[in-house]
């Protein structure tokens, strides 16, 4: 369903004199910057003296001058729009400048932000710094009521937002300024080129003062209404629809429901989404890319991912970068878990680099900034999200106007699609056919510590897990007793090879040299293959035991028994030949559908690399590849 374009009445009017009018937008990120630039081009014919500047908080850390330029533009602005400012660092950076300009500008519209920002709103007689009373009290209704801790639905809020301007149209006085406020909200939330242009027309035409009074009366078209809940696909006619039948056909490998931010879709800033959608299609997957208005993804999931109470998708992938219900503003994990429980499929939450460029992310040993790690990894995990991965963002390359547009990181998008594809494959594979690898921690090695974990009886729990898997239909043949299980893994042929556990497989030095893609980096630290760790000089030992379609393996040691933390703090380090060969064997030779790290975290995530938001140069990412990875641990 392609939205109808509405031409404002003023578009056909003769051009006005070039009266200078300076409009400044201050917001969280730059995803609407391109739409604003195109809106400025639309408006120049009507207001030749117009300048429209967008300042995004995600750019303030890129250079010392970006915030200074923002402050300077606020100080000289005639119309100020401040929105999507929730984070304390962002608020603190601009709040004094906004406060200083509040009384000197013609109008200040502050919405969808923290309370101290919203209170700066001043539109004619509407002053939100005063205690709400009369018609102004309606503003509070948009916040929604809570019931049992759950926020009101985004669908209900959007319906109310559209109705209020219609009701306020016939009320005199401050109600008309309040109506302008709600219209401004509608324009911003449906931030296409035309709606951004109409928002500027509304504010200038209604509130321009002094020398700019000549611009009074410029007409603004009503907000163009786009679907609150809909589908987006770059290969679909019109790109936006509300019908599943309009999506490209195919997808024999399975179906993935993908969640998008509506604001990126309407602003045309979708390069990062398009790349992931293409990567999923390349895996043979059908893609259902859906969006919802506001910051609540549930309406899109309920409409397109569930039919008659049953999931019609094999996995859900969120590309929003934020929580499922609440976005960057808040988190309603109870509501999120309720809808995810109805779906009962894997839920992966990937994220773009929102507050830094892709180049900054690549160069930073932390990966994500603390703000990004909190908002886009930790908080979504409260919903039940798994597998966080950076898939795109802004780049410093290209022309200035292109640097604010989102683009895909091709390699990360390919890995994301591979991981989602493997989760779909896991779900669609019969239990009896699934091959599962279970990894036991072993640290420090050579001290009888195989299968240790704080507050958890590992072999007893492993015994119970294997028997439960067999009862659930997995093809697994566990020993009859816990002691028998321990003996099979720890003893077995260990005496024959002089190892601390049973040798399940030997990887020859020749094979390791031929198949190890990062051999040069490993040899730079540990010497020629096969190395000394878990090796007899001619082969690398894979320790563990196979029980039908389940392999229980002993994770190789960190590498430095006396100084294991060296892996964390020494740059350009690498795991041992044995550690890399172990995970390669699980992935490629045993052919695991999934791996379960059992009893503790193990050493995989302590391998050299970024802390959060890993790249292809990070060893944990290299070692696990696209293999679905689960962790069973005690709630201690």
């Amino acid at each position: 369903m392609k939205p109808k374009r509405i031409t404002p009445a003023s578009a056909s009017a003769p051009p006005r004199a070039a009266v200078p009018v300076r409009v400044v937008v201050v917001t969280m990120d730059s995803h609407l910057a391109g739409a604003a630039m195109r809106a400025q081009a639309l408006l120049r014919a009507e207001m030749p003296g117009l300048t429209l500047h967008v300042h995004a908080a995600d750019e303030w850390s890129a250079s010392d001058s970006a915030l200074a330029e923002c402050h300077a533009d606020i100080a000289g602005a005639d119309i100020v729009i401040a929105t999507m400012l929730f984070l304390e660092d962002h608020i603190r950076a601009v709040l004094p400048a906004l406060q200083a300009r509040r009384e000197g500008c013609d109008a200040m519209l502050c919405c969808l932000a923290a309370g101290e920002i919203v209170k700066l709103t001043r539109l004619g007689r509407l002053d939100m710094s005063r205690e709400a009373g009369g018609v102004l009290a309606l503003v509070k209704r948009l916040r929604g009521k809570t019931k049992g801790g759950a926020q009101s639905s985004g669908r209900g809020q959007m319906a109310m937002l559209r109705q209020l301007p219609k009701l306020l149209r016939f009320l005199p006085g401050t109600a008309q300024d309040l109506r302008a406020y709600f219209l401004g909200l509608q324009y911003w939330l449906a931030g296409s080129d035309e709606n951004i242009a109409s928002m500027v027309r509304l504010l200038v035409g209604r509130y321009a003062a002094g020398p700019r009074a000549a611009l009074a009366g410029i007409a603004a078209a009503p907000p163009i209404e786009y679907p609150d809940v809909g589908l987006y696909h770059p290969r679909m006619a019109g790109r936006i629809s509300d019908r599943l039948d309009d999506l490209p056909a195919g997808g024999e490998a399975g179906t993935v429901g993908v969640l998008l931010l509506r604001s990126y879709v309407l602003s045309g800033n979708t390069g990062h989404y398009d790349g992931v959608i293409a990567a999923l299609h390349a895996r043979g997957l059908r893609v259902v890319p859906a969006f919802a208005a506001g910051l609540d993804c549930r309406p899109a999931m309920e409409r397109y991912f569930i039919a008659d109470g049953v999931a019609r998708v094999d996995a859900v992938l969120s590309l929003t970068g934020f929580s499922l219900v609440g976005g960057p503003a808040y988190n309603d994990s109870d509501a999120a878990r309720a809808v995810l429980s109805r779906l009962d499929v894997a839920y992966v939450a990937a994220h773009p680099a929102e507050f830094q460029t892709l180049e900054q992310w690549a160069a930073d040993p932390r990966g994500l900034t603390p703000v990004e790690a909190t908002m886009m990894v930790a908080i979504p995990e409260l919903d039940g999200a798994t597998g966080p991965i950076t898939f795109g963002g802004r780049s410093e390359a290209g022309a200035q106007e292109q640097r604010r547009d989102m683009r895909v990181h091709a390699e990360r998008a390919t890995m994301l699609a591979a991981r989602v594809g493997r989760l779909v494959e896991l779900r669609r594979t019969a239990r009896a056919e699934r091959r599962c690898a279970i990894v036991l921690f072993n640290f420090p090695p050579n001290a009888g510590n195989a299968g240790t974990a704080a507050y958890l009886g590992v072999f007893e729990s492993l015994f119970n897990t294997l028997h439960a898997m067999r009862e659930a239909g997995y093809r697994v043949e566990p020993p009859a007793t816990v002691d028998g299980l321990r003996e099979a893994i720890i003893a077995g042929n260990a005496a024959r090879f002089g190892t601390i556990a049973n040798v399940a497989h030997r990887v020859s030095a020749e094979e390791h040299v031929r198949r190890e893609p990062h051999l040069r980096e490993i040899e730079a630290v540990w010497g020629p293959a096969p190395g000394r760790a878990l090796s007899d000089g001619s082969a690398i030992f894979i320790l563990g035991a196979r029980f039908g379609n389940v392999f229980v393996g002993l994770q190789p040691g960190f590498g430095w028994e006396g100084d294991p933390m060296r892996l964390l703090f020494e740059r350009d380090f690498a795991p041992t030949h044995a550690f890399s060969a172990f995970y390669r064997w699980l992935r490629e030779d045993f052919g695991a559908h999934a791996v379960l790290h059992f009893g503790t975290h193990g050493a995989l995530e302590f391998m050299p690399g970024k802390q959060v938001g890993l790249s292809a140069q990070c060893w944990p990412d290299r070692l696990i590849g696209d293999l679905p990875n689960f962790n069973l641990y005690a709630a201690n």
Side-chain angles (χ1 to χ4, degrees), residues 434-514:
R434 294 176 186 171
R435 291 180 299 280
C436 301
I438 297 178
V439 178
L440 304 183
F441 192 42
N442 177 40
F443 183 82
N446 304 319
N449 291 309
T452 57
Y455 306 107
L456 185 66
V458 170
F459 282 102
E460 291 82 355
S461 299
L462 176 61
F463 177 84
N464 293 336
T465 300
L466 293 176
H467 281 269
M469 291 176 69
R470 185 175 65 178
E471 293 174 6
Y474 289 84
R475 190 174 297 160
V476 55
E477 302 161 7
T481 65
V482 174
D483 289 339
L485 176 63
R486 183 185 293 107
E487 181 74 11
I489 297 170
I490 301 302
N493 60 16
R496 173 186 166 195
F497 290 100
T499 56
I500 61 172
N502 182 69
V503 176
H505 186 78
R506 297 173 74 249
V507 179
S508 71
E510 181 277 329
E511 179 186 357
H512 180 67
V513 168
R514 176 168 44 85

Side-chain angles (χ1 to χ4, degrees), residues 238-533:
R239 293 196 165 204
I240 297 176
S241 175
D242 57 1
R243 293 174 1 101
L244 283 167
D245 291 344
D246 292 338
L247 290 171
E252 291 75 15
T255 301
V256 180
V258 180
L259 294 170
L260 315 174
L261 280 177
R262 180 174 179 263
S263 55
Y264 276 107
V265 170
L266 297 185
S267 67
N269 193 354
T270 57
H272 55 328
Y273 293 160
D274 296 350
V276 173
I277 291 171
L280 291 168
H281 280 305
R283 294 279 307 185
L285 295 162
R286 182 170 185 256
V287 186
V288 182
F291 61 83
L295 301 173
D296 184 349
C297 295
R298 287 176 297 173
M301 298 171 69
E302 290 165 352
R303 180 165 181 178
Y304 296 114
F305 300 171
I306 301 173
D308 299 323
V310 178
R312 58 169 47 153
V313 297
D314 297 298
V316 173
L317 168 61
S318 172
L319 300 183
T320 69
F322 302 118
S323 63
L324 193 64
V325 183
Y330 64 88
N331 170 249
D332 190 341
S333 56
D334 290 337
R337 287 195 296 269
V339 70
L340 289 171
S341 296
R342 290 173 57 199
L343 278 163
D344 194 26
V345 298
Y347 174 48
V348 175
H351 48 264
E354 285 283 2
F355 304 126
Q356 59 180 326
T357 64
L358 287 171
E359 289 79 6
Q360 290 171 321
W361 160 76
D364 193 336
R366 300 174 304 173
L368 300 185
T369 66
V371 167
E372 289 173 317
T374 300
M375 295 178 64
M376 300 190 293
V377 177
I379 291 178
E381 284 180 352
L382 299 176
D383 296 343
T386 61
I389 182 173
T390 303
F391 68 90
R394 294 177 293 110
S395 173
E396 297 167 14
Q400 180 66 38
E401 60 272 13
Q402 296 174 329
R403 296 178 188 175
R404 286 180 156 184
D405 288 337
M406 301 294 277
R407 62 184 67 181
V408 73
H409 189 290
E411 183 278 327
R412 292 286 81 189
T414 299
M415 178 58 80
L416 172 60
R419 289 175 177 171
V420 172
R422 290 293 299 272
L423 287 168
V424 171
E425 178 189 3
L426 177 63
R427 182 174 189 263
R428 291 164 67 93
T429 301
R431 289 181 179 179
E433 303 303 318
R434 294 176 186 171
R435 291 180 299 280
C436 301
I438 297 178
V439 178
L440 304 183
F441 192 42
N442 177 40
F443 183 82
N446 304 319
N449 291 309
T452 57
Y455 306 107
L456 185 66
V458 170
F459 282 102
E460 291 82 355
S461 299
L462 176 61
F463 177 84
N464 293 336
T465 300
L466 293 176
H467 281 269
M469 291 176 69
R470 185 175 65 178
E471 293 174 6
Y474 289 84
R475 190 174 297 160
V476 55
E477 302 161 7
T481 65
V482 174
D483 289 339
L485 176 63
R486 183 185 293 107
E487 181 74 11
I489 297 170
I490 301 302
N493 60 16
R496 173 186 166 195
F497 290 100
T499 56
I500 61 172
N502 182 69
V503 176
H505 186 78
R506 297 173 74 249
V507 179
S508 71
E510 181 277 329
E511 179 186 357
H512 180 67
V513 168
R514 176 168 44 85
R515 296 177 60 191
E516 175 52 60
H518 309 293
L519 182 68
R520 182 175 299 179
E521 294 176 59
I522 298 175
E523 289 191 331
V525 178
W526 299 104
R532 296 181 179 180

Side-chain angles (χ1 to χ4, degrees), residues 118-181:
V118 173
K119 288 179 180 179
L120 296 177
T121 295
R122 187 180 63 80
L123 300 176
R125 284 177 284 185
L126 176 63
D127 184 346
M128 288 196 179
S129 66
R130 302 172 184 171
E131 186 175 348
V135 72
L136 183 57
L138 287 174
V139 176
K140 290 186 175 181
R141 293 186 62 190
L142 271 185
R143 294 169 57 188
K145 297 180 180 180
T146 61
K147 183 178 181 180
Q151 298 285 340
S152 61
S153 75
R155 183 186 302 156
Q157 292 176 346
M158 293 303 298
M160 183 183 297
L161 179 58
R162 280 191 294 269
Q163 288 300 319
L164 283 172
K166 298 175 182 177
L167 298 174
L168 294 171
R169 183 179 180 183
F170 303 103
L171 300 179
T174 306
Q176 293 308 300
D177 297 313
L178 187 59
R179 179 174 183 268
Y181 181 84

